[in-house]
Amino acid sequence: MRSDARRSARGPSGTDLINTPDIELWPGGLLRARNGHDARALARARHVLRRKRDGQYLAADLPEGLLPLVQRLTREPGIEQALDALQRAAAPRRPGLERIAELPLDRLEERLHALGLDADGYGERTGLDLVPEPDRLAYAGHDRYRRPLWLHPLAARAWSHLHEAALRDGVVLEAISGYRSHDYQLGIFERKLARGQSVEQILTVNAAPGYSEHHSGLALDIGAPDQPPAEESFETTAAFAWLREHAPGRGFVMSYPRDNPHGIVYEPWHWKFLAA
């Protein structure tokens, strides 16, 4: 998908996540804090600035101005770009004319090198492409774990229609996860490495940071009630049978069938929306 090539299919006003390389701008009302000071600020915020690499809340955009939630906010990497995005978000916008752009693919080689991976070699070996993040994501409800589900606006609309069509047929589809940032994918590797897995073991299940279809916001993992998430047993469910029959006609494809050329294990739960 080329930068700026897609028109946004925006949901209700104020429910988009504004994405920058280091910091996400979440719409107010979706985040919760444990301490009273931050909780009061988040409850009133129009947007919340959230550090991507660890989920730290950085600042709340209140009606009376920006409230820092960390010390030395002005020294935070990427803060100027995030504040510019916040200012643009406050400007009046013409409905239907907004476009989704792609964030630059910077710092990925450094991250892959830290994992002992060569970016060019990995791409050639797997046939996977680098996947940019969109600069805006749409709120698509909540996933199984009551976390906000973020998807590319086109995928969010398509997922809503797919979910509703399944319900009409008596089938419940649960979203397990949607958009993941490059930083989030790196965190998956770091946690699994800390548990003793090797990089090669992880790569059979997770694409390297920068190469996951989840970065685009066009892919999501789907589950069924009372079924474990992201397990091959999903293929035995009525939900999977319904997807096999109906999802392709609604623009969704299963990315990693058996014996796929990318070296990724069979993932009957992973579906991608092919934006037209």
Side-chain angles (χ1 to χ4, degrees):
M1 187 175 64
R2 294 183 304 170
S3 177
D4 289 321
R6 310 289 182 198
R7 288 185 183 273
S8 169
R10 282 178 55 83
S13 177
T15 56
D16 285 354
L17 182 153
I18 302 167
N19 201 14
T20 70
D22 297 291
I23 297 171
E24 297 168 344
L25 283 69
W26 283 52
L30 290 177
L31 292 171
R32 298 290 182 267
R34 294 182 180 179
N35 71 68
H37 176 267
D38 286 0
R40 287 191 294 272
L42 295 183
R44 299 177 54 237
R46 295 173 297 193
H47 291 91
V48 177
L49 278 63
R50 184 177 184 265
R51 187 192 291 149
K52 292 170 78 168
R53 70 174 185 268
D54 60 4
Q56 172 72 51
Y57 304 157
L58 300 175
D61 174 33
L62 303 177
E64 61 269 26
L66 192 69
L67 173 67
L69 300 176
V70 296
Q71 295 182 348
R72 294 184 288 277
L73 176 66
T74 56
R75 299 183 186 179
E76 189 69 33
I79 189 62
E80 291 186 6
Q81 192 168 0
L83 293 177
D84 287 344
L86 184 63
Q87 187 174 17
R88 290 194 299 271
R93 290 176 286 183
R94 296 176 62 186
L97 296 179
E98 196 170 337
R99 294 178 182 270
I100 302 298
E102 294 172 349
L103 298 184
L105 289 164
D106 55 1
R107 302 200 317 273
L108 278 176
E109 286 193 3
E110 177 184 340
R111 295 173 181 181
L112 293 170
H113 179 73
L115 296 173
L117 291 172
D118 171 65
D120 293 335
Y122 177 77
E124 291 177 3
R125 176 164 58 88
T126 62
L128 296 173
D129 297 321
L130 283 170
V131 181
E133 300 176 24
D135 70 344
R136 190 176 299 274
L137 293 138
Y139 174 65
H142 285 77
D143 64 18
R144 170 185 288 189
Y145 308 103
R146 302 306 301 163
R147 301 172 302 191
L149 177 68
W150 299 109
L151 293 171
H152 185 289
L154 294 173
R157 176 183 291 174
W159 163 244
S160 176
H161 294 166
L162 188 75
H163 185 265
E164 290 170 2
L167 285 178
R168 288 195 294 270
D169 289 341
V171 174
V172 177
L173 303 178
E174 289 187 335
I176 303 300
S177 66
Y179 160 75
R180 299 176 194 157
S181 68
H182 297 157
D183 283 299
Y184 185 95
Q185 194 77 2
L186 181 62
I188 292 175
F189 275 73
E190 291 174 340
R191 289 189 292 273
K192 290 187 175 183
L193 287 169
R195 294 199 295 266
Q197 295 188 37
S198 69
V199 170
E200 288 304 317
Q201 287 175 319
I202 302 169
L203 287 173
T204 64
V205 180
N206 300 106
Y211 291 87
S212 171
E213 290 183 341
H214 286 281
H215 300 323
S216 68
L218 294 168
L220 74 162
D221 295 338
I222 300 174
D226 302 321
Q227 288 288 322
E231 294 286 347
E232 190 172 314
S233 60
F234 177 63
E235 72 172 355
T236 66
T237 65
F240 179 72
W242 189 93
L243 286 169
R244 286 289 298 268
E245 182 177 356
H246 299 283
R250 295 180 177 273
F252 285 89
V253 297
M254 185 171 56
S255 299
Y256 305 116
R258 295 188 190 278
D259 302 318
N260 66 79
H262 306 299
I264 295 177
V265 296
Y266 172 47
E267 294 190 356
W269 61 86
H270 179 102
W271 294 76
K272 180 183 179 182
F273 178 66
L274 301 179

